[in-house]
Amino acid sequence: MGDAVTELSSSKMFGGYNKRYKHYSNTLGCSMNFHIYFPPSPSPSPSDSLDSKNKVLFPVLYWLSGLTCTDENFIFKSGAQRAASQQGVALIVPDTSPRGLNIDGEADSWDFGLGAGFYLNATQEKWKNWRMYDYVVKELPKLLSDNFPQLDTSKASIFGHSMGGHGALTIYLKNLDKYKSVSAFAPIANPTNCPWGQKAFTNYLCGNKSDWEEYDATHLVKKYPNVSTTILIDQGEDDKFLSDQLLPHKFEEACKNGNVPLSLRFQPGYDHSYNFIATFIDDHIQHHAQALRLN
């Protein structure tokens, strides 16, 4: 283990381990926590990626959480570890924003500031440390590669929920060379046209709408249409944020226009909660495990 990372906790689950770590982020200018779920180590097969000691290297699946969440919500509530254990995939769960910087106004509202990094690089001076895009795409993968030899960070996929679904889609579309697949639960699919996105983008990115579009999946899918693996999205039909905040039909229309493969599944009776996520999480883990094996 490298000096940069400190283990905070460890608990066994489905034969593997939930482990929480702390490190100082040069990108964000503060200490950050993240979780890894390590599945149990199987006997190697001819198709497995192996290290120098012929141990199986686990592909990684990044989970990006939604507004108000930390690195703990998904680990405690999703039940994803069972399927990750079965599929031999490591789950990587970062926090949702910088912490401990004590920026004036960072905790004034639940949908902006703390717990609401929106997985972008802020351009406003006040929020210059809010660089969750670079943290997820650049710093965290390098940290994992340098400190966890059991992980194969060259085989990676990404998924998330709500704000994290927005983050997963935008990060994937802008980095098709880095991720094998993407999926989302109730993503903020067209943030330039919804109150959550407009509030975040106005404050983090100022008024330049072209900057906004760089973090809007509905715009990006037109710009980066070379997607070969089907994008999977689950959306609860009883989600109270569906019509005014999430706008999945806008993303669906953009995918159709760009011939981008999309499986958008509307689930009757389901809302925006982790009950919804836990119900369909196995499908998403399987979706990514298949892509990680094939690519």
Side-chain angles (χ1 to χ4, degrees):
M1 181 66 65
D3 293 337
V5 179
T6 302
E7 183 176 312
L8 300 177
S9 64
S10 177
S11 61
K12 192 170 185 178
M13 189 175 187
F14 298 119
Y17 285 89
N18 294 314
K19 291 181 177 286
R20 195 184 197 197
Y21 298 95
K22 181 178 183 178
H23 77 108
Y24 182 83
S25 166
N26 290 313
T27 300
L28 306 177
C30 63
S31 292
M32 292 291 286
N33 297 331
F34 65 94
H35 265 90
I36 302 177
Y37 175 71
F38 295 98
S41 295
S43 299
S45 68
S47 62
D48 286 326
S49 296
L50 306 175
D51 67 8
S52 60
K53 297 179 180 179
N54 289 329
K55 293 182 179 179
V56 174
L57 299 181
F58 298 116
V60 298
L61 177 54
Y62 295 92
W63 170 267
L64 305 183
S65 294
L67 290 165
T68 75
C69 290
T70 69
D71 59 301
E72 295 185 294
N73 300 73
F74 179 78
I75 290 294
F76 293 157
K77 296 180 179 181
S78 71
Q81 293 92 334
R82 183 192 297 273
S85 173
Q86 294 169 346
Q87 299 290 346
V89 175
L91 302 173
I92 314 298
V93 187
D95 203 346
T96 53
S97 77
R99 307 273 178 177
L101 293 170
N102 299 317
I103 305 300
D104 182 45
E106 67 178 13
D108 286 356
S109 57
W110 65 273
D111 56 357
F112 178 78
L114 289 181
F118 270 83
Y119 305 101
L120 51 72
N121 289 336
T123 57
Q124 289 281 66
E125 178 64 21
K126 179 179 180 178
W127 303 102
K128 64 183 179 180
N129 293 87
W130 261 247
R131 301 182 62 83
M132 289 300 295
Y133 178 90
D134 277 355
Y135 179 73
V136 171
V137 175
K138 299 177 182 179
E139 185 175 15
L140 186 56
K142 185 178 187 306
L143 185 81
L144 298 175
S145 179
D146 290 347
N147 290 276
F148 301 97
Q150 63 271 59
L151 302 179
D152 183 359
T153 54
S154 70
K155 290 187 175 181
S157 291
I158 191 165
F159 66 155
H161 170 233
S162 195
M163 178 187 72
H166 139 78
L169 291 172
T170 56
I171 286 171
Y172 173 77
L173 290 169
K174 294 170 75 168
N175 298 276
L176 294 173
D177 59 326
K178 290 183 171 64
Y179 305 96
K180 309 299 184 184
S181 54
V182 67
S183 72
F185 291 85
I188 304 172
N190 187 200
T192 59
N193 287 317
C194 78
W196 281 340
Q198 290 166 351
K199 179 177 181 177
F201 290 176
T202 298
N203 285 280
Y204 291 137
L205 303 173
C206 199
N208 189 336
K209 295 300 177 66
S210 63
D211 290 343
W212 293 21
E213 292 177 359
E214 285 299 305
Y215 299 103
D216 186 316
T218 298
H219 287 279
L220 288 174
V221 81
K222 305 170 188 175
K223 192 173 181 179
Y224 303 101
N226 299 318
V227 178
S228 57
T229 303
T230 298
I231 297 171
L232 173 62
I233 293 178
D234 274 311
Q235 173 62 60
E237 288 187 355
D238 283 11
D239 189 326
K240 64 181 180 181
F241 304 116
L242 174 56
S243 61
D244 61 339
Q245 299 281 16
L246 306 178
L247 311 179
H249 291 299
K250 297 287 188 181
F251 183 69
E252 181 181 34
E253 181 180 357
C255 286
K256 286 180 179 178
N257 291 338
N259 293 315
V260 171
L262 171 67
S263 175
L264 174 57
R265 311 190 306 186
F266 286 91
Q267 305 294 358
Y270 286 93
D271 58 16
H272 200 70
S273 72
Y274 265 92
N275 296 327
F276 162 57
I277 294 170
T279 302
F280 300 102
I281 194 68
D282 287 11
D283 290 353
H284 287 245
I285 301 287
Q286 185 175 4
H287 169 79
H288 295 294
Q290 181 178 10
L292 289 164
R293 283 193 293 267
L294 292 175
N295 294 291

